[in-house]
Amino acid sequence: MAQCIVVVQFDLPKRTEEQAIRGGMGTAPIYRKLATKGLIRKDYLNGEAGTGGVYLWESREAAEAWFTEAKIVELTGRFGVRPRLTWYDTHVTVDNLKGETRVSQTALISAAE
């Protein structure tokens, strides 16, 4: 089964580093609790194109269970603008921290090879 990446973008001005850190640290506990619901990782985004996050989920089903229309309405209320979500299935991963390449979450090539 493919993992799923969801890129969430809000069309807002770039925040200062301090604002971005404060915002991320304020919501990080929410996403830490999602480990049991299939969220592997969330990276917070802050740039000229806006703010948002990149989410890596165990599966598309897990991502869809979180990103419901009700969740989109909640996020719209929090940020004052509706987010754009872009969905990707990921079949091949190069993981330099683990020193491996994975296909459908199965390691095929290690750094020793």
Side-chain angles (χ1 to χ4, degrees), residues 5 12-13 15-17 21 26 32 35 38 40 48 53 58 75 84-85 92 96-97 101 103 108 113:
I5 294 173
L12 294 169
R15 298 177 290 174
T16 66
E17 181 177 348
I21 291 170
R32 292 206 36 96
I40 297 169
E48 300 303 326
E58 291 176 356
L75 292 170
R84 287 179 286 115
L85 277 66
V92 179
N96 288 326
L97 293 176
T101 300
V103 173
L108 298 182
E113 296 178 19

Side-chain angles (χ1 to χ4, degrees), residues 16-49:
T16 66
E17 181 177 348
E18 294 79 20
Q19 289 170 325
I21 291 170
R22 189 171 47 253
M25 293 302 293
T27 60
I30 294 168
Y31 299 103
R32 292 206 36 96
K33 291 177 184 174
L34 292 179
T36 60
K37 298 190 184 283
L39 181 64
I40 297 169
R41 176 181 178 147
K42 177 187 178 181
D43 289 298
Y44 290 81
L45 302 175
N46 183 41
E48 300 303 326

Side-chain angles (χ1 to χ4, degrees), residues 65-77:
W66 176 254
F67 287 114
T68 62
E69 183 57 30
K71 179 58 63 181
I72 301 304
V73 169
E74 175 189 328
L75 292 170
T76 301

